[in-house]
Amino acid sequence: MSRNNIFLLLLLIGLGVAGYFAYDLMNSDKNEEGAQLCDMSEEELGKQFAIKDTAKVDKIIITDTRGSRAVVYRTDNGGWEFYNEFASENGTWKAGNKMKARDDAANMILKTFHNVELQNFVPNQAKENIMKGIIASHSQVDIYMNGKLEKTWYVGMTTQDHYGTYMLIELPGCGRSKWPFIMEARAHHGHLTSRFFTEEKEWRYKGIWEMDVRRLKSVEVNNYVAEDQSYKIEIDGDSVSLYNKAGELQTDAIKDNIYRVAQSFRDLQFEMYPEADLYSKLYLDSIKTQASPIFTIKTEDVDGNTKKISVYNKKLPKGSTDMAGNPIEYDNERLFAKLEDGRIVLIQHFVFGHILRPLISFKHPSS
């Protein structure tokens, strides 16, 4: 099959999925109980969005009109996991691998569930047009509590001032609201649409290290730009030691500086996945195949488990300059990192800079 035919097929599938959601939203004349539209008053339905006890929310399914779905669920230890689903050619859903989810993203949605409130009713003369807009583009959010579907939100576009969000609600046993509402969240000045996403790169946990310093045995940082500035930290209980590249103990090192590096591994996260543009793709391909790292960071825990990442400069497009107008080749705020599973991510100098420090920075200035 040619590339054009493949593109056409994917386009038709996407249009079909979008059409399915539009038809389903307009023509869901029966739910499991046989009802179509909820017979509650608008005033009463507007109060049904919020959830008082979000601790009972154990699963959230977010489905968008582009044909993707994220299933986010609470784990036994109180964290969150997710998996993506995509509409296949025959219209069924295909599930991906289960992965650890970003707790902050799940908690933000729970906060939204709790703080959402009615901002205003949609004026009668605008209801039909707003409804058409929601049909064209929305996120369906199915909210489960204690294993049962509690309610469904249909999160549409934002109001013109970007302070409200057009939404519908559906309640099991009653049905869907006939018209949308303008909703907001207490103590939040902005829309709610962006909080409900399905993309794996947005949901996936961004942690690289999450290690109790008491379980950390060693940290080794190899500097390939200035190899004499490489270092290794060894930890034994409350005792920490610093060594140079040759394995020589650095007796003049400041202990607090060593401790700060070791403690930073409690929570080290990458910032994001690289942008999906041609420049990034070309440079990422070079990292995967031939580029040499400027640093490697390796840790070992008390059980002998190791973790290692490789760090690379992030090249900038030709002609880039700094704030003073001087030409620069590399980004001075972000770096690329290659994780053990092969993923390439962006990390911040602000977060990793104190680990990628030179050996000399551990010592007293007079040393």
Side-chain angles (χ1 to χ4, degrees):
M1 186 180 290
S2 69
R3 180 176 298 178
N4 288 338
N5 287 338
I6 293 173
F7 176 79
L8 180 60
L9 177 61
L10 292 174
L11 179 61
L12 290 173
I13 292 171
L15 290 173
V17 171
Y20 164 78
F21 281 111
Y23 177 86
D24 186 59
L25 196 55
M26 285 295 287
N27 300 281
S28 55
D29 53 3
K30 289 186 179 180
N31 60 18
E32 292 181 358
E33 290 72 29
Q36 177 185 1
L37 298 176
C38 190
D39 58 3
M40 288 186 190
S41 66
E42 281 193 289
E43 289 78 7
E44 188 62 31
L45 272 172
K47 301 175 183 178
Q48 300 299 316
F49 283 87
I51 295 175
K52 292 182 179 180
D53 188 0
T54 58
K56 294 179 180 178
V57 175
D58 50 17
K59 185 167 69 172
I60 306 163
I61 301 177
I62 305 170
T63 311
D64 64 32
T65 49
R66 297 170 299 173
S68 62
R69 176 187 290 171
V71 181
V72 188
Y73 55 94
R74 200 186 294 266
T75 61
D76 292 339
N77 63 6
W80 293 87
E81 290 184 351
F82 81 102
Y83 59 88
N84 278 100
E85 291 185 335
F86 300 91
S88 63
E89 294 181 20
N90 60 9
T92 60
W93 292 96
K94 297 179 65 176
N97 296 326
K98 294 180 180 180
M99 289 171 279
K100 185 174 181 179
R102 288 171 48 204
D103 286 344
D104 64 309
N107 291 333
M108 178 58 71
I109 289 180
L110 294 181
K111 184 177 180 180
T112 305
F113 291 163
H114 185 269
N115 291 339
V116 70
E117 60 186 13
L118 178 68
Q119 183 189 99
N120 214 335
F121 296 103
V122 177
N124 288 332
Q125 65 272 21
K127 284 181 176 178
E128 288 193 10
N129 285 335
I130 297 301
M131 189 69 178
K132 290 177 181 178
I134 295 178
I135 291 168
S137 179
H138 66 269
S139 294
Q140 177 178 325
V141 184
D142 297 312
I143 306 166
Y144 288 77
M145 299 178 69
N146 295 330
K148 294 180 62 177
L149 178 62
E150 181 73 13
K151 61 189 69 178
T152 298
W153 290 4
Y154 297 93
V155 183
M157 61 283 193
T158 66
T159 56
Q160 286 189 341
D161 62 7
H162 298 287
Y163 287 107
T165 305
Y166 293 110
M167 295 170 59
L168 296 163
I169 188 170
E170 185 170 350
L171 302 173
C174 186
R176 177 176 58 78
S177 56
K178 183 177 182 179
W179 301 115
F181 300 86
I182 302 174
M183 307 300 295
E184 64 181 1
R186 290 189 302 277
H188 172 71
H189 300 289
H191 64 85
L192 308 177
T193 307
S194 60
R195 299 185 179 189
F196 301 97
F197 45 81
T198 60
E199 295 85 356
E200 175 186 324
K201 68 178 182 179
E202 296 293 335
W203 267 113
R204 195 166 187 173
Y205 172 63
K206 295 181 179 181
I208 302 177
W209 273 280
E210 193 178 60
M211 183 177 291
D212 188 332
V213 69
R214 293 169 297 183
R215 294 190 53 77
L216 188 60
K217 181 180 178 181
S218 67
V219 176
E220 185 174 352
V221 177
N222 283 303
N223 184 331
Y224 296 101
V225 177
E227 295 201 16
D228 63 333
Q229 295 303 310
S230 302
Y231 69 85
K232 183 176 183 179
I233 294 172
E234 292 188 354
I235 303 164
D236 184 9
D238 294 330
S239 174
V240 292
S241 302
L242 180 72
Y243 298 86
N244 64 11
K245 179 71 174 179
E248 299 167 335
L249 178 64
Q250 306 297 288
T251 57
D252 55 351
I254 302 172
K255 295 294 184 181
D256 283 348
N257 289 351
I258 304 175
Y259 278 118
R260 289 192 188 100
V261 172
Q263 291 169 348
S264 66
F265 286 87
R266 289 180 298 185
D267 185 19
L268 278 176
Q269 300 190 13
F270 63 87
E271 180 185 19
M272 67 178 76
Y273 290 97
E275 303 85 353
D277 55 29
L278 180 61
Y279 156 72
S280 290
K281 185 178 186 305
L282 290 173
Y283 193 58
L284 294 179
D285 287 344
S286 72
I287 289 176
K288 293 177 181 178
T289 57
Q290 56 186 289
S292 300
I294 56 171
F295 291 96
T296 58
I297 305 172
K298 180 181 178 181
T299 61
E300 182 179 0
D301 67 18
V302 293
D303 296 324
N305 301 310
T306 62
K307 181 177 290 188
K308 180 180 177 181
I309 69 169
S310 300
V311 180
Y312 304 81
N313 274 318
K314 181 178 182 289
K315 285 185 179 179
L316 294 173
K318 290 183 179 180
S320 297
T321 59
D322 61 18
M323 295 183 66
N326 302 311
I328 53 174
E329 184 178 3
Y330 299 113
D331 193 329
N332 57 15
E333 294 183 357
R334 292 176 177 84
L335 298 154
F336 283 124
K338 184 176 182 180
L339 309 185
E340 287 188 315
D341 60 7
R343 284 180 293 153
I344 307 296
V345 298
L346 283 170
I347 61 175
Q348 294 182 345
H349 276 285
F350 177 77
V351 176
F352 282 82
H354 64 293
I355 297 172
L356 302 175
R357 61 196 298 166
L359 175 69
I360 194 172
S361 69
F362 287 93
K363 303 178 182 182
H364 291 281
S366 59
S367 299

